[in-house]
Amino acid sequence: MGNESFRYDGKRVLVVGGATGMGAAAARQVASLGADVVVMDYVPVEGFTSIVVDLRDKDQIDAAVDQCGGTVDALFSCAGVADGTPGIERINFLGHRHMINRLFEKGMLPKGSSITAISSSAGLGWYNNLDTVRSYVDGTDFDSGVAWMEANPGNNHYMFSKQALCYYVAFNAYEFGKRGVRINAICPGPTDTPLARSNEDLWLSFGRDFRDEIGVDASSPEEQGDVMAFLGSHAARYISGQTVIVDAGLDGAGLTESYPSATPIVKFLYGIS
Ligand SMILES: NC(=O)c1ccc[n+]([C@@H]2O[C@H](COP(=O)([O-])OP(=O)(O)OC[C@H]3O[C@@H](n4cnc5c(N)ncnc54)[C@H](O)[C@@H]3O)[C@@H](O)[C@H]2O)c1
């Protein structure tokens, strides 16, 4: 018998964006640890209870939450798309936030539950873009968020969507904490998923020289899914408001200049000139 805090026996887990990649890895991992898993995605998923939802559509999100019903002990908000995808602002942030709001409204995230999202190292510069991020995140709901973005189209890109998510996670450690709910995110380094493969030159080449020198490959989806499984579990019960960087050390090596060739890009991601 090991440490049961890491297990999910008797827990119901909702994975949003669990058809492929890291979301699918997280779903498999928590299922292997005993969870009853529901997967939402815009394509149907085999092997788990499957609910089809397009995060670009508020009514579909509401209907999907109704279809899920019951309570959720751990939510994994994983779906995301790259620049160039219509509705990126809704898929990467506004839709996930609306889903969380709906789950709270319906009493489906009880005391003791957890939320774990997937952000990105692309979002680490949120603090150096605080006024703009706050105006978007604090000042809007789903519909007015779409309107905000239409009025500020220069912000409708992947990096800003992930800055919004990182800020949202940090901010809500307090708001959700008062309800007994933790929220965290991972910031994966380059991870070999269908999304990264379809943007291979930009996504998977990032940090390749660093990885070659320390002798690791791009992350597997499972290497990220395992961290999500930990963050969502009882074992992580004192962690909240954190965006955990899971990149084999590239970020720290760049920031501290122990690996100087990564420094310019890492400083750029943090918004440090
Ligand atoms: N792969 C990387 O290198 C990398 C690095 C940093 C962050 N991320 C983030 O990781 C998350 C997961 O991505 P992944 O790399 O596993 O890619 P992926 O494409 O395998 O997974 C994304 C999932 O989102 C779902 N999805 C897409 N559009 C949707 C919509 N409109 N409604 C509902 N579901 C939708 C897809 O069907 C898929 O299951 C994303 O948020 C991405 O931004 C990826």
Side-chain angles (χ1 to χ4, degrees):
M1 194 92 137
N3 184 340
E4 300 301 308
S5 299
F6 293 88
R7 290 198 56 87
Y8 280 79
D9 303 293
K11 292 190 175 182
R12 190 158 182 252
V13 171
L14 172 58
V15 181
V16 180
T20 61
M22 294 178 237
R28 287 192 299 271
Q29 175 63 325
V30 296
S32 79
L33 291 165
D36 172 19
V37 179
V38 177
V39 171
M40 290 186 188
D41 205 291
Y42 77 152
V43 294
V45 175
E46 286 182 14
F48 301 109
T49 303
S50 170
I51 298 174
V52 173
V53 62
D54 187 335
L55 286 169
R56 288 172 285 202
D57 185 326
K58 192 173 76 167
D59 293 339
Q60 283 194 35
I61 296 171
D62 294 349
V65 169
D66 288 347
Q67 196 180 332
C68 178
T71 55
V72 171
D73 298 296
L75 168 69
F76 293 92
S77 302
C78 304
V81 291
D83 279 325
T85 308
I88 184 173
E89 78 288 357
R90 283 165 282 156
I91 301 166
N92 285 14
F93 178 66
L94 295 171
H96 286 298
R97 183 180 64 174
H98 183 71
M99 172 96 55
I100 291 166
N101 287 342
R102 261 320 255 198
L103 289 165
F104 273 124
E105 276 164 28
K106 302 203 97 189
M108 291 170 66
L109 283 171
K111 190 172 165 55
S113 58
S114 66
I115 301 166
T116 307
I118 306 184
S119 190
S120 169
S121 49
L124 290 171
W126 62 271
Y127 193 76
N128 284 320
N129 195 18
L130 198 53
D131 290 345
T132 311
V133 170
R134 271 193 168 141
S135 140
Y136 178 56
V137 176
D138 293 354
T140 66
D141 60 12
F142 187 92
D143 292 325
S144 57
V146 173
W148 187 99
M149 204 49 97
E150 280 166 7
N152 300 274
N155 289 305
N156 202 4
H157 51 76
Y158 184 81
M159 189 176 229
F160 188 75
S161 73
K162 296 299 187 180
Q163 287 182 354
L165 188 52
C166 285
Y167 170 77
Y168 176 78
V169 166
F171 183 89
N172 283 302
Y174 175 58
E175 293 300 330
F176 297 172
K178 286 185 283 186
R179 304 175 209 181
V181 176
R182 297 183 298 109
I183 180 165
N184 295 291
I186 57 164
C187 290
T191 303
D192 192 358
T193 67
L195 180 63
R197 283 279 166 115
S198 60
N199 301 276
E200 194 164 347
D201 287 348
L202 187 63
W203 288 39
L204 290 180
S205 65
F206 173 51
R208 183 174 286 147
D209 51 348
F210 172 81
R211 291 193 296 279
D212 286 348
E213 286 214 27
I214 65 165
V216 298
D217 291 328
S219 171
S220 66
E222 289 72 23
E223 283 163 338
Q224 304 293 330
D226 285 357
V227 180
M228 279 188 275
F230 162 64
L231 287 173
S233 77
H234 189 62
R237 58 197 172 278
Y238 212 70
I239 303 178
S240 195
Q242 294 301 311
T243 38
V244 178
I245 300 165
V246 189
D247 71 347
L250 175 64
D251 173 88
L255 259 191
T256 58
E257 302 181 20
S258 74
Y259 188 72
S261 72
T263 301
I265 180 71
V266 171
K267 284 191 168 176
F268 167 73
L269 294 175
Y270 274 89
I272 302 168
S273 52

